[in-house]
């Protein structure tokens, strides 16, 4: 008992809530926040790379290495988001952390995080397929050119 009743919304860094900070913000919750942030940052870089691919008029000049690095960045973002979603899905309804846990439900933001993880994985594998395909086609064309000489 801390001598004060906490009701309603409070700012987590408020001096009144400082005593409860370790209970409110568990280690696993900080892991979820960290991996979500890493996923956001890596996806922003991947979006910039995809934008650079799409503004290029001549796709034959885009290197397969650039497409493969874009795929790697997108799959890295999906991996980070997957860790965050799985961790929150497992620990989010923990009785020790969530008061009245039986009355709480995973909301639309959790569903959007799951959908974004799935879509990032799909886009990453499509880019990976395209990059490998482009690399194989270029090596095949080079072999055909050397054989014709």
């Amino acid at each position: 008992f801390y001598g004060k009743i906490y009701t309603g919304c409070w700012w987590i860094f408020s001096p009144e809530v400082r005593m409860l900070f370790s209970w409110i913000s568990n280690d696993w919750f900080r892991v979820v926040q960290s991996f979500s942030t890493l996923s956001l940052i890596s996806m922003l870089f991947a979006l910039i790379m995809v934008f650079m691919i799409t503004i290029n008029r001549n796709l034959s000049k885009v290197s397969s290495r650039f497409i493969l690095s874009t795929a790697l960045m997108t799959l890295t973002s999906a991996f980070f988001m997957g860790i965050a979603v799985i961790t929150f899905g497992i620990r989010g309804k923990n009785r020790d952390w969530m008061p009245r846990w039986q009355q709480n439900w995973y909301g639309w933001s959790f569903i959007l995080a799951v959908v974004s993880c799935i879509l990032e994985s799909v886009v990453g594998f499509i880019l990976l397929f395209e990059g490998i395909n482009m690399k194989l086609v270029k090596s095949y064309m080079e072999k055909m050119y050397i054989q014709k000489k």
Side-chain angles (χ1 to χ4, degrees):
F1 179 72
Y2 293 106
K4 182 170 180 139
I5 297 174
Y6 295 93
T7 59
C9 291
W10 286 78
W11 184 43
I12 195 168
F13 297 112
S14 172
E16 291 93 9
V17 185
R18 178 78 57 200
M19 295 181 290
L20 303 173
F21 184 75
S22 63
W23 180 72
I24 294 171
S25 180
N26 287 334
D27 292 335
W28 67 267
F29 194 66
R30 286 186 226 135
V31 166
V32 168
Q33 290 173 335
S34 301
F35 278 112
S36 296
T37 304
L38 287 173
S39 173
L40 176 70
I41 291 169
S42 60
M43 195 62 213
L44 286 175
F45 284 123
L47 284 173
I48 291 169
M49 295 169 81
V50 167
F51 181 70
M52 290 171 62
I53 291 172
T54 56
I55 63 171
N56 194 352
R57 296 279 182 203
N58 193 358
L59 284 178
S60 63
K61 291 185 178 180
V62 176
S63 69
S64 60
R65 184 175 292 171
F66 188 74
I67 293 177
L68 288 173
S69 62
T70 306
L72 180 68
M73 187 66 71
T74 307
L75 289 173
T76 302
S77 175
F79 176 72
F80 288 152
M81 185 55 76
I83 290 175
V85 162
I86 289 170
T87 305
F88 190 80
I90 291 172
R91 304 296 299 266
K93 286 202 169 209
N94 191 353
R95 292 179 183 203
D96 298 333
W97 177 70
M98 181 64 73
R100 293 183 298 238
W101 60 272
Q102 61 273 48
Q103 296 175 357
N104 292 314
W105 309 102
Y106 294 127
W108 58 269
S109 58
F110 180 75
I111 294 169
L112 283 179
V114 171
V115 169
S116 72
C117 179
I118 292 169
L119 290 178
E120 286 174 4
S121 300
V122 168
V123 169
F125 284 118
I126 288 172
L127 284 169
L128 185 68
F129 174 77
E130 185 63 32
I132 291 172
N133 190 26
M134 184 178 280
K135 190 173 186 177
L136 290 174
V137 166
K138 283 185 180 181
S139 67
Y140 177 76
M141 295 302 278
E142 287 173 359
K143 287 179 184 176
M144 293 301 292
Y145 180 73
I146 291 172
Q147 286 179 359
K148 285 186 176 182
K149 276 186 155 185

